[in-house]
Amino acid sequence: MSMSTPKPQLQAEHLTIGYGDKIVQQDLSFSLMAGEMVCMLGPNGCGKSTLLRTLADLQPALGGDYRLSVQQSAKAIALVLTERLSIDNTTIHDVVAMGRHPYTSFLGTLSAEDERIIHSSLESVGFACTSAPYFNDLSDGEKQRVLIAKALAQQTPLILLDEPTAHLDLPNRILVLRLLRRLAHEESKTVLISTHELDLALQLSDRIMLMSPHQGGIRLDTAPNLIASDAFTEAFHMDIFHPLD
C-alpha cells in the first residue's frame, strides 16, 4: 500500500512582499510541512521580518498567493515578535490566556477546557501554574518561554517567531531553540523562525530557509545541502564559514 504525500501546513506560490509601493522580495515559492522546525537565515534587509508579517496577515501580500491548512488565520498561525514586552500587573496565566481569545465567547470567558490548555501550554515550556508569578517579574528568557506558551495555547498548526532569542544569553538561546524543535516534533507543529543564530540553526533546524537580497532569493533545504552548494556564500556575499581567509 502506497503512503500518501503529506499536505503542507503553508504553501506560497510566486509571493511578492513589501510595503506600499516598495517591493522587498518577489517570486517566493515554498512549502512548510507539519512536524518541522525551519530557521530563516539571511542578511539584514533581505525580507525575513517582512515575510513573517505577511504570512501572519499583519500586512498584505503585494502579489502571488499563500495558502494555510486552516482557513481562519487566528486559528492557523500564532506569531511571536522580537519586542521586549512589559505588561504590568499581569500574571503568566493571564498572558497565556490571551492565546485562547480566538476560541472564547464575546465576553472572553474561559471554559474548563481553556484552563486545561493554558496549564498544559505552561507545563510544555517548563512552568507550573501554581504560583502564577507576574510576567514583569520574569527574566528575559522566562518571558520568551511564556510567550511561546501563549502561542501554544492558541493551538495553531503553524508558529512564526521573529528573532525569539535576540535578547537572551547563550544558555537561554539554546534552551528556547531546543524547546521549539521539541514542540515541532512532538506536537506536529510547523515552526518557522527568523534568526541570526547561524551555528544553532545549522545544528537544530530540520531545514533552513536561506534568503538573499536579490529578488526571488529564497532557498529551502537541509543545512548540509545548502553548505555543499555554497548557498551561504552567495546569500551573504562572503565565506561566512572561514571569516579570516
Side-chain angles (χ1 to χ4, degrees), residues 11-219:
Q11 188 166 8
E13 295 182 355
H14 307 293
L15 186 64
T16 298
I17 59 174
Y19 301 87
D21 296 331
K22 177 179 173 55
I23 293 176
V24 177
Q25 281 278 4
Q26 61 185 1
D27 199 26
L28 303 178
S29 298
F30 57 88
S31 296
L32 301 177
M33 312 304 292
E36 69 171 351
M37 185 175 85
V38 176
C39 287
M40 185 174 8
L41 298 170
N44 290 336
C46 67
K48 298 188 298 295
S49 295
T50 305
L51 178 58
L52 286 181
R53 295 178 67 86
T54 302
L55 297 177
D57 207 23
L58 295 182
Q59 62 189 69
L62 302 185
D65 186 32
Y66 65 95
R67 295 186 297 276
L68 305 172
S69 59
V70 178
Q71 292 302 312
Q72 185 181 346
S73 60
K75 294 183 179 180
I77 293 179
L79 177 66
V80 180
L81 296 173
T82 309
E83 291 87 349
R84 276 180 164 154
L85 290 181
S86 178
I87 308 175
D88 293 330
N89 302 317
T90 304
T91 65
I92 62 173
H93 170 278
D94 292 339
V95 171
V96 177
M98 296 175 189
R100 298 303 301 160
H101 285 178
Y103 303 91
T104 58
S105 65
F106 177 75
L107 297 176
T109 305
L110 296 172
S111 66
E113 178 64 7
D114 291 323
E115 291 289 356
R116 184 194 68 77
I117 292 169
I118 291 167
H119 283 252
S120 175
S121 299
L122 279 166
E123 288 176 354
S124 293
V125 301
F127 277 95
C129 209
T130 52
S131 59
Y134 286 102
F135 184 78
N136 275 1
D137 292 338
L138 303 178
S139 68
D140 286 340
E142 290 170 331
K143 285 181 177 179
Q144 196 65 285
R145 284 159 51 203
V146 170
L147 294 177
I148 292 170
K150 173 178 172 289
L152 287 176
Q154 200 170 330
Q155 288 197 314
T156 61
L158 181 62
I159 301 177
L160 309 179
L161 303 101
D162 190 11
E163 295 287 348
T165 60
H167 306 301
L168 307 183
D169 59 14
L170 179 59
N172 276 298
R173 294 202 302 270
I174 295 172
L175 185 151
V176 166
L177 290 180
R178 289 180 64 181
L179 168 64
L180 290 168
R181 176 184 169 90
R182 176 176 62 80
L183 294 172
H185 291 182
E186 294 181 0
E187 302 192 19
S188 294
K189 294 184 182 294
T190 304
V191 177
L192 176 62
I193 305 169
S194 169
T195 182
H196 289 289
E197 304 283 356
L198 175 64
D199 290 346
L200 293 178
L202 292 176
Q203 296 180 63
L204 294 174
S205 63
D206 296 297
R207 291 193 293 166
I208 287 176
M209 181 181 289
L210 183 60
M211 298 185 71
S212 59
H214 64 271
Q215 299 300 302
I218 192 169
R219 291 187 61 180

